[in-house]
Amino acid sequence: GLKTKVLFVCHNVLPHERFPMDRFLTKGTLKKGNMCIVHSKEDEKDLKELLPEMLYERGVLPTYQAFRLRGLSRAEARKELGISPEEKMILFFGLVRKYKGLPYLIKAMPEILQENPDLKLYVVGDFGSSKEEYLQLIEETGCWENIVVRDGYVPDEEVEPYFAAADLNICPYESATQSAIVQIAFGFDLPVVATAVGGLPEAVTDGKTGFVVEPRNPKALADAINRYYGENREDEFRENVQKEKERFSWDRTVEMIERLWEKSM
């Protein structure tokens, strides 16, 4: 009924891929709510511009444990994917869209391979109609043998082996408000290299749970990945991810909702 309160959890206040009238439509929709949760400073700013009076809380996305269905060990996951225990493996996971910056990671590969010739990059996700241009780019870098492409939607039950097997998850985004991929990685105690866009620096603690680098910069990505292996940071970073779990727990989200509820009374 009319007394029911409505809370919007805004993964993005405005869409990544902008379109005519998106601000008008967003404002019209959010106006029907009583309160919002946003996940980045960028979204906070967008929300205040659209609806200055709206009650809101800002907090990082909680960690997604939903994909850890079998509790695979790294060794088991690697066996399933046909990766040897010694091989180095980095992961780019999710829908391949322009704003996600995959070309910069592909262009970083020659430099990464100079220091880590046994490394493989797994690109796992749906390319939509743009697969050819990415394959062309891989061809140009000459890194074919070190880049494994799994094109297509990955059902929930097939996600686990990739995150359980990887050494490092890479989010080379050009722009973002936040990323569920970071939280999936953290659910597997997997450190992340991300770019300094949107809410990513709020989620990844530079030098502790991963590295935060400049966007649109293949050299910065290569340096961070080489540093991770060169300085043997994996055990330390994984431990830090575990320690930060509390910050990403669903309990924090419940607390935000409770605070908003009290403010709305």
Side-chain angles (χ1 to χ4, degrees):
L2 294 173
K3 288 192 173 68
T4 307
K5 298 220 182 259
V6 175
L7 162 70
F8 283 107
V9 179
C10 305
H11 285 240
N12 305 296
V13 170
L14 293 166
H16 280 302
E17 283 141 349
R18 302 295 300 272
F19 59 86
M21 288 181 62
D22 56 8
R23 292 182 75 84
F24 171 77
L25 292 168
T26 300
K27 186 173 180 174
T29 304
L30 293 180
K31 240 163 64 175
K32 297 193 179 342
N34 305 88
M35 47 194 131
C36 289
I37 289 176
V38 296
H39 297 303
S40 69
K41 288 176 186 158
E42 204 174 308
D43 273 329
E44 181 178 12
K45 183 173 159 286
D46 288 340
L47 181 66
K48 281 174 159 172
E49 281 172 10
L50 288 173
L51 295 165
E53 304 297 306
M54 177 62 81
L55 283 176
Y56 76 90
E57 285 262 337
R58 189 183 98 225
V60 281
L61 266 177
T63 295
Y64 293 137
Q65 299 283 13
F67 299 97
R68 210 168 190 164
L69 299 172
R70 293 183 284 153
L72 286 181
S73 70
R74 177 198 183 109
E76 289 162 340
R78 286 185 165 224
K79 202 171 165 189
E80 279 191 21
L81 296 174
I83 303 169
S84 75
E86 303 75 50
E87 237 175 334
K88 292 171 178 157
M89 173 192 169
I90 61 175
L91 178 65
F92 174 98
F93 188 94
L95 290 174
V96 179
R97 294 291 177 268
K98 187 186 176 303
Y99 72 87
K100 293 199 177 171
L102 178 58
Y104 303 102
L105 179 55
I106 294 170
K107 286 176 186 167
M109 281 296 284
E111 197 172 328
I112 295 167
L113 294 172
Q114 277 175 3
E115 286 191 30
N116 295 287
D118 59 340
L119 178 139
K120 287 221 166 81
L121 161 62
Y122 272 65
V123 178
V124 182
D126 191 340
F127 282 81
S129 59
S130 58
K131 188 176 178 184
E132 279 316 306
E133 59 191 84
Y134 288 98
L135 295 182
Q136 180 66 40
L137 185 58
I138 293 171
E139 183 85 60
E140 285 163 21
T141 60
C143 299
W144 257 123
E145 289 180 4
N146 295 78
I147 300 179
V148 179
V149 173
R150 177 189 161 167
D151 176 23
Y153 173 74
V154 184
D156 286 4
E157 60 278 7
E158 291 174 35
V159 169
E160 181 171 6
Y162 295 104
F163 285 91
D167 303 323
L168 195 58
N169 182 76
I170 320 293
C171 292
Y173 299 179
E174 293 183 24
S175 66
T177 43
Q178 40 66 39
S179 172
I181 303 298
V182 171
Q183 304 305 43
I184 294 171
F186 284 170
F188 286 93
D189 299 333
L190 182 62
V192 176
V193 170
T195 46
V197 296
L200 297 184
E202 293 167 61
V204 180
T205 310
D206 184 43
K208 281 191 107 173
T209 58
F211 291 118
V212 178
V213 302
E214 187 182 77
R216 301 184 179 84
N217 185 335
K219 184 164 182 1
L221 285 168
D223 287 350
I225 292 161
N226 285 337
R227 192 176 154 201
Y228 180 72
Y229 286 111
E231 296 177 3
N232 292 317
R233 302 298 283 275
E234 183 163 13
D235 291 346
E236 173 200 338
F237 279 17
R238 280 184 184 269
E239 215 170 285
N240 291 334
V241 172
Q242 284 180 337
K243 284 182 197 154
E244 284 215 349
K245 285 253 166 93
E246 185 46 35
R247 186 161 83 93
F248 300 118
S249 77
W250 286 87
D251 294 347
R252 300 286 79 76
T253 301
V254 172
E255 285 164 14
M256 285 195 284
I257 294 169
E258 286 171 343
R259 284 196 296 271
L260 284 168
W261 177 257
E262 279 165 22
K263 284 184 202 163
S264 73
M265 295 318 254

